[in-house]
Amino acid sequence: MDKISVFCELIIEANKTTNLVSKNDEQKLMTRHVADSLKFAEFLTLNSQLSALNLKWADIGAGAGFPVIPLCMHLPQVKFYAIEPRKKRCEFLNSVKQKLNLQNIEIIQRKAETCGLANMDYVSCRAVGSLEEDFNRAKKILKPGGQFLTVKSKRIIEELKLKNDKLLKKAQIIEYNLPPEELEYALIQISILPL
């Protein structure tokens, strides 16, 4: 918790010069962004999927570091890769890595499509693109049997269900809400079938 508090302080300080999160979100970093990020680990822990050795996890569009930085702190046994194309955000993530002495993360300043990673056990993202766009980016760097994880609003999930979305039919969906938030969310998990 100490490192997470420092991380939130670093975001607020850097947000003065670099747009990392909206000004409205500064007061709810813990309740909105950190809690939301840790839902990824909670889901995998409930499904006993984090016990294997040498797990590799890529986070696409890492931005201000959600979910990757809280996950990195919470899961020190996992090797994380924060993929972010914007230079200022990568500089921020590298400073967080250094200041918090995070040994299990590598920052990659590229787009997911050209990041050079492959055979990831997990690929995650938050607020990057549509479900289909995000999945198509992720599957290029996931290993067979790997898992794609993302968060979308419950409203978006309902719209996809009405459209009879084929990708959503392959997904495991966990709906949740964060107590101070009015919106409801869904964690979506899609496995890449082994060859």
Side-chain angles (χ1 to χ4, degrees):
M1 282 305 292
D2 289 343
K3 280 188 174 184
I4 285 181
S5 295
V6 172
F7 172 50
C8 291
E9 290 168 14
L10 292 171
I11 288 175
I12 291 168
E13 183 59 33
N15 216 36
K16 293 174 183 173
T17 57
T18 304
N19 183 26
L20 296 171
V21 297
S22 78
K23 294 287 183 192
N24 294 336
D25 278 5
E26 285 184 359
Q27 299 304 312
K28 51 185 178 177
L29 287 174
M30 291 289 245
T31 56
R32 169 67 180 99
H33 295 286
V34 173
D36 201 38
S37 296
L38 293 176
K39 283 290 179 186
F40 291 84
E42 180 183 325
F43 169 77
L44 294 173
T45 302
L46 287 173
N47 289 288
S48 304
Q49 296 172 343
L50 292 171
S51 57
L53 297 174
N54 303 314
L55 290 174
K56 296 182 295 181
W57 187 318
D59 186 51
I60 297 172
F66 298 111
V68 71
I69 297 296
L71 289 171
C72 181
M73 291 183 227
H74 187 70
L75 304 168
Q77 76 277 21
V78 176
K79 173 67 177 182
F80 286 93
Y81 299 87
I83 305 167
E84 171 57 52
R86 292 167 287 191
K87 184 179 179 186
K88 284 190 173 187
R89 291 184 180 207
C90 286
E91 288 170 352
F92 170 73
L93 292 171
N94 275 311
S95 74
V96 168
K97 175 183 176 176
Q98 182 182 11
K99 288 175 182 171
L100 298 179
N101 192 28
L102 301 174
Q103 302 295 314
N104 61 328
I105 188 167
E106 183 180 327
I107 316 303
I108 300 172
Q109 187 187 339
R110 295 199 139 175
K111 290 187 174 187
E113 297 85 348
T114 60
C115 69
L117 295 176
N119 293 313
M120 295 287 110
D121 296 288
Y122 302 101
V123 173
S124 59
C125 66
R126 260 179 99 228
V128 177
S130 71
L131 178 61
E132 184 176 1
E133 291 167 338
D134 293 345
F135 178 72
N136 286 334
R137 286 183 193 101
K139 72 180 181 182
K140 292 175 184 172
I141 60 177
L142 276 165
K143 71 178 188 181
Q147 296 184 44
F148 168 63
L149 298 156
T150 189
V151 170
K152 300 291 181 195
S153 72
K154 187 177 175 186
R155 179 188 56 77
I156 288 173
I157 298 305
E158 294 304 322
E159 288 171 5
L160 290 171
K161 285 179 182 176
L162 287 174
K163 292 177 183 175
N164 209 19
D165 185 83
K166 291 178 185 175
L167 188 56
L168 199 64
K169 289 180 181 180
K170 300 177 184 177
Q172 182 175 355
I173 302 167
I174 312 300
E175 294 180 1
Y176 65 96
N177 61 358
L178 300 169
E181 294 288 311
E182 292 178 17
L183 288 174
E184 294 177 298
Y185 301 95
L187 177 69
I188 302 164
Q189 179 266 329
I190 303 171
S191 294
I192 301 295
L193 295 176
L195 298 174

